[in-house]
């Protein structure tokens, strides 16, 4: 035993460089404050490049102009992307108007990006405006604490608002979980708010995360069946809401999901989460902390590629991990209560809640809210915010819900939405069920296009569906620019993962419910070749499918790809 940690669960070897950075960071302070004063460069030093992630930011540059700047002997145009902390994705109209103004005045792209983490991102903020950004958010009750880095990140929650009392209860638990697992260091307030005390900070003791925080990023969700709109199997820890009528009685707990992998390294793979069992509500925070602290103590701090919770479960055994969680939480998991996921897309259009309020889900392609020539989306959302008395809900599928609309305001809000391209009856089911990560030009990890690639490619897939006589149907289609999983392609019926300029791996066989990982069908081929394969596969699907059989189920039944049942062995086998 090493302390209270069994020696056989500790990975031996030299610690990863990030462990040194965290150890020497003085609880995430580093020398970030000094870097902010350095006007010679627009970037951060090597250690601070990592540490700013714990404050919700990534250093990036505009890759479209990187080569040209290099020719001119200029450093890349360094800037940061900020991801806000918004548990459950709820934001008020007043907050929206403030972030809309900041995006206009102080970002390089002028847009607001809704993300698969159910929050918004600013892209292209230059160093002189970074502190202003944090202070602007703080004034309206928003922060970016722990939305990146080796911590528990923004907690997702099924976003269909107030369809039942269960939804409101689940959202409140998402907030509680987020607050409970936050870092306690004062670093954020000291650096960005000039030492102003904020509610989430206390003395420099990290009772849950520890002095060196977690071995790797950690993602948590609260989900309400039958909607799996948060894609539970993409996340480390998931609380599946179990109700008795409209009353929330507890959660089934799923642990160890994750989608990222590394090309050429078969020790990395996407993985479904394991079902640990049912817990009553009063044990929710204890179990959340127990899962996080077990991963903190047992996770791999030697090889970051194998540091996520999914690898810890496979290395030490899921049953052993579960037993440790039970010991730490002082609970025995009960058998899971029955539930079923039947869908995971957002319900675009109007929904009426139990409170007699109306909720309008707006389809935002790729989550990018900006004014386009044919659709001034950003202006439209701003005009809605100026008159809306409810709130907005950002979804994990990159869409936006105008929630809590009074009957008297419904017609006016719809009029604004239609006039600004936020409601469009011609948008196909295929487009509504397609998604991409940001990729170029801002993401430094991107190998291929994703966000800019997807709209035109979906148009071509729509053409194939029409060609085969099923224009109103859809296939869950997702594109990521690299294998890190942000666009959740590893839970799609057709997933493209970028390998290089116009080169992708083609994966097939996910399902509608989001409970199955797809398998590699073709490796490292261009988009034209991929379209040819999709054409052929849709033709086979139409000709040979069973009644109402989804595309992903069909390709497995027909033996086009094998089903991935156990990620660690089936994904590559």
């Amino acid at each position: 035993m090493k302390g209270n940690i069994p020696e056989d669960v500790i990975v031996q070897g030299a610690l990863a460089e990030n462990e040194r950075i965290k150890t020497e960071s003085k609880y995430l302070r580093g020398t970030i404050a000094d870097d902010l004063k350095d006007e010679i460069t627009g970037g951060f030093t090597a250690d601070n490049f990592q540490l700013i992630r714990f404050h919700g930011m990534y250093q990036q540059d505009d890759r479209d102009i990187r080569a040209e700047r290099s020719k001119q002997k200029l450093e890349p145009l360094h800037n940061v992307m900020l991801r806000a902390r918004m548990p459950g994705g709820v934001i008020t109209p007043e907050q929206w108007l403030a972030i809309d103004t900041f995006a206009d005045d102080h970002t390089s792209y002028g847009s607001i990006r809704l993300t698969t983490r159910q929050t918004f991102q600013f892209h292209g903020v230059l160093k002189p405006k970074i502190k202003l950004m944090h202070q602007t958010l703080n004034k309206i009750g928003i922060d970016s604490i722990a939305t990146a880095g080796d911590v528990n990140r923004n907690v997702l929650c099924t976003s269909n608002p107030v369809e039942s009392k269960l939804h409101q209860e689940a959202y409140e638990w998402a907030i509680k979980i987020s607050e409970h697992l936050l870092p306690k260091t004062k670093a954020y307030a000291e650096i960005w708010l000039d030492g102003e005390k904020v509610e989430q900070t206390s003395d420099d003791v990290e009772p849950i995360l520890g002095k060196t925080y977690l071995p790797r990023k950690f993602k948590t969700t609260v989900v309400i069946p039958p909607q799996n709109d948060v894609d539970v199997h993409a996340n480390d820890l998931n609380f599946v809401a179990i109700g008795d009528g409209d009353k929330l009685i507890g959660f089934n707990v799923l642990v160890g999901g994750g989608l990222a992998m590394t090309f050429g390294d078969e020790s990395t793979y996407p993985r479904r989460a394991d079902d640990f069992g049912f817990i009553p509500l009063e044990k929710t925070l204890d179990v959340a902390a127990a899962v996080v602290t077990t991963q903190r103590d047992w996770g791999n701090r030697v090889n970051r590629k194998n540091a996520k919770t999914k690898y810890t479960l496979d290395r030490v055994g899921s049953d052993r991990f579960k037993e440790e969680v039970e010991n730490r939480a002082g609970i025995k998991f009960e058998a899971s209560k029955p539930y079923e996921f039947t869908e995971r897309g957002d319900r675009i259009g109007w929904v009426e809640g139990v409170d007699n309020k109306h909720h309008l889900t707006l389809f935002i392609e790729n989550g990018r809210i900006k004014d386009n020539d044919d659709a001034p989306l950003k202006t439209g959302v701003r005009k809605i915010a100026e008159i809306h008395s409810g709130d907005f809900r950002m979804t994990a599928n990159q869409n936006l819900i105008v929630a809590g609309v009074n009957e008297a305001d419904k017609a006016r809000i719809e009029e604004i939405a239609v006039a600004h391209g936020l409601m469009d009856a011609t948008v196909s089911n295929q487009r509504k069920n397609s998604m991409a990560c940001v990729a170029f030009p801002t993401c430094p990890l991107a190998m291929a296009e994703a966000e800019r690639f997807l709209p035109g490619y979906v148009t071509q897939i729509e053409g194939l569906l029409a060609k085969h006589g099923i224009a109103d149907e859809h296939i869950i289609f997702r594109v990521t620019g690299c294998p890190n999983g942000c666009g959740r392609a590893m839970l799609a019926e057709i997933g493209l993962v970028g390998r290089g300029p116009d080169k992708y791996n083609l994966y097939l066989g996910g399902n509608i419910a989001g409970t199955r990982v797809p398998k590699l069908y073709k490796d490292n081929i261009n988009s034209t070749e991929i379209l040819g394969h999709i054409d052929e596969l849709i033709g086979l699907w139409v000709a040979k499918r069973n009644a109402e059989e989804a595309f992903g189920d069909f390709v497995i039944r027909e033996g086009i790809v094998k089903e991935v049942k156990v990620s660690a062995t089936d994904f590559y086998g």
Side-chain angles (χ1 to χ4, degrees):
M1 299 283 288
K2 184 177 180 180
N4 294 321
I5 306 173
E7 289 187 6
D8 65 327
V9 305
I10 300 173
V11 178
Q12 302 297 325
L15 295 178
E17 174 66 4
N18 288 63
E19 297 303 312
R20 177 197 64 77
I21 293 171
K22 288 180 287 184
T23 299
E24 297 175 0
S25 73
K26 297 173 291 185
Y27 288 96
L28 307 182
R29 291 171 176 84
T31 56
I32 295 173
D34 294 333
D35 264 7
L36 287 172
K37 299 173 186 175
D38 184 354
E39 298 179 357
I40 296 176
T41 174
F44 290 84
T45 61
D47 284 7
N48 293 331
F49 178 90
Q50 296 292 334
L51 288 177
I52 63 171
R53 298 182 180 189
F54 291 83
H55 301 258
M57 297 177 294
Y58 288 87
Q59 181 174 305
Q60 302 181 338
D61 72 281
D62 188 335
R63 295 177 66 178
D64 284 347
I65 61 173
R66 183 187 290 176
E68 181 59 33
R69 288 181 67 85
S70 178
K71 288 179 183 178
Q72 297 176 21
K73 310 299 182 185
L74 298 172
E75 72 172 8
L77 185 59
H78 294 307
N79 58 76
V80 300
M81 175 272 278
L82 175 136
R83 181 184 300 134
R85 185 175 68 93
M86 308 290 293
V90 176
I91 185 170
T92 69
E94 293 76 19
Q95 290 172 325
W96 186 272
L97 290 171
I99 69 168
D100 177 276
T101 298
F102 186 90
D104 274 348
D105 295 346
H106 302 299
T107 72
S108 300
Y109 302 97
S111 64
I112 299 169
R113 181 56 151 77
L114 307 184
T115 83
T116 56
R117 295 309 301 168
Q118 202 174 23
T119 182
F120 69 86
Q121 292 177 177
F122 288 135
H123 287 261
V125 181
L126 300 177
K127 185 191 280 187
K129 300 297 182 181
I130 294 176
K131 183 175 266 190
L132 173 64
M133 172 175 59
H134 287 283
Q135 294 180 346
T136 299
L137 293 177
N138 180 63
K139 287 177 183 177
I140 57 173
I142 298 175
D143 61 56
S144 62
I145 299 170
T147 57
D150 299 343
V151 287
N152 180 65
R153 299 188 177 185
N154 195 51
V155 177
L156 310 189
C157 182
T158 294
S159 54
N160 288 322
V162 206
E163 285 189 20
S164 69
K165 294 177 182 177
L166 198 66
H167 283 77
Q168 184 60 31
E169 286 188 79
Y171 165 65
E172 290 168 359
W173 276 105
I175 296 174
K176 291 176 185 177
I177 294 165
S178 176
E179 297 293 330
H180 192 59
L181 300 178
L182 275 183
K184 307 306 181 200
T185 173
K186 293 180 180 179
Y188 184 89
E190 290 176 6
I191 296 169
W192 308 113
L193 310 179
D194 295 326
E196 180 181 338
K197 183 175 176 60
V198 294
E199 185 178 348
Q200 292 80 12
T201 61
S202 61
D203 292 336
D204 285 336
V205 176
E206 296 285 12
I208 294 177
L209 298 173
K211 184 176 180 179
T212 54
Y213 299 87
L214 301 183
R216 203 69 167 84
K217 61 186 176 183
F218 192 96
K219 298 177 180 179
T220 302
T221 76
V222 178
V223 63
I224 306 169
Q227 285 289 106
N228 184 20
D229 56 340
V230 300
D231 271 334
V232 295
H233 293 290
N235 299 279
D236 299 80
L237 174 59
N238 306 274
F239 293 92
V240 181
I242 303 297
D244 182 3
D246 275 345
K247 183 175 177 57
L248 183 65
I249 61 170
F251 297 101
N252 290 347
V253 179
L254 307 184
V255 179
L259 304 184
M261 57 185 170
T262 301
F263 289 137
D265 183 351
E266 292 191 7
S267 73
T268 68
Y269 44 83
R271 186 188 192 277
R272 285 169 40 92
D274 292 345
D275 192 333
F276 276 18
F278 175 81
I279 60 168
L281 283 180
E282 63 269 19
K283 298 301 291 185
T284 302
L285 297 183
D286 291 338
V287 168
V291 173
V292 169
T293 59
T294 302
Q295 165 61 4
R296 177 197 69 195
D297 295 341
W298 290 16
N300 188 335
R301 293 182 182 267
V302 172
N303 180 359
R304 285 179 65 80
K305 292 180 180 179
N306 291 118
K308 289 272 289 174
T309 311
K310 60 182 178 179
Y311 302 118
T312 308
L313 261 65
D314 285 344
R315 176 168 50 82
V316 307
S318 185
D319 288 342
R320 188 179 184 188
F321 192 104
K322 175 183 172 181
E323 182 180 2
E324 181 68 13
V325 170
E326 290 178 325
N327 291 338
R328 295 186 184 210
I331 190 177
K332 285 289 184 182
F333 286 101
E334 301 175 32
S336 282
K337 307 291 185 185
Y339 71 94
E340 183 182 14
F341 291 132
T342 59
E343 56 184 318
R344 54 182 163 151
D346 296 328
R347 298 173 187 177
I348 306 300
W350 288 103
V351 174
E352 185 171 356
V354 294
D355 55 358
N356 296 318
K357 296 290 182 70
H358 302 275
H359 314 286
L360 174 62
T361 302
L362 304 172
F363 170 69
I364 311 291
E365 189 162 40
N366 290 323
R368 183 71 66 178
I369 298 181
K370 63 179 181 179
D371 283 348
N372 304 308
D373 292 339
D374 57 341
L377 306 180
K378 191 164 175 289
T379 296
V381 177
R382 182 174 66 247
K383 288 186 175 181
I384 291 173
E386 289 170 349
I387 66 168
H388 182 37
S389 59
D391 56 37
F392 294 107
R393 312 282 174 103
M394 294 170 282
T395 84
N397 292 308
Q398 305 172 322
N399 297 317
L400 185 67
I401 301 173
V402 186
V405 178
N406 295 318
E407 178 70 33
D409 298 327
K410 185 179 176 184
R412 177 58 181 147
I413 285 176
E414 181 167 327
E415 179 184 358
I416 294 171
V418 171
H420 293 80
L422 292 161
M423 291 182 74
D424 183 352
T426 67
V427 174
S428 70
N429 289 326
Q430 180 58 55
R431 196 168 297 276
K432 292 173 186 175
N433 287 278
S434 301
M435 186 164 69
C437 70
V438 173
F440 287 99
T442 55
C443 179
L445 301 177
M447 301 177 181
E449 294 280 2
E451 178 181 334
R452 298 192 295 196
F453 167 82
L454 183 129
Y457 209 68
V458 169
T459 299
Q460 296 183 77
I461 294 175
E462 289 170 336
L464 296 180
L465 294 172
K467 169 186 171 182
H468 292 284
I470 53 170
D472 291 335
E473 299 191 39
H474 72 273
I475 300 166
I476 295 174
F477 174 67
R478 294 174 177 177
V479 184
T480 62
C482 80
N484 283 283
C486 296
R488 303 204 296 268
M490 287 295 94
L491 287 171
E493 293 182 284
I494 297 178
L496 305 188
V497 179
R499 294 293 304 266
D502 195 38
K503 294 283 187 177
Y504 301 86
N505 281 3
L506 170 60
Y507 296 85
L508 304 175
N511 61 6
I512 295 295
T515 58
R516 187 170 63 224
V517 169
K519 190 172 179 66
L520 181 65
Y521 179 63
K522 297 292 179 181
D523 175 63
N524 199 24
I525 59 176
N526 66 42
S527 57
T528 301
E529 293 172 299
I530 291 168
L531 203 66
H533 288 295
I534 294 175
D535 186 5
E536 179 183 0
L537 291 165
I538 291 175
L540 289 173
W541 178 41
V542 170
K544 302 176 69 174
R545 65 178 171 173
N546 295 329
E548 298 184 0
E549 185 176 34
F551 178 85
D553 297 331
F554 168 79
V555 296
I556 288 173
R557 182 179 61 79
E558 280 290 308
I560 295 167
V561 292
K562 293 181 180 179
E563 181 178 0
V564 177
K565 295 180 179 179
V566 181
S567 296
T569 55
D570 294 345
F571 185 69
Y572 293 110

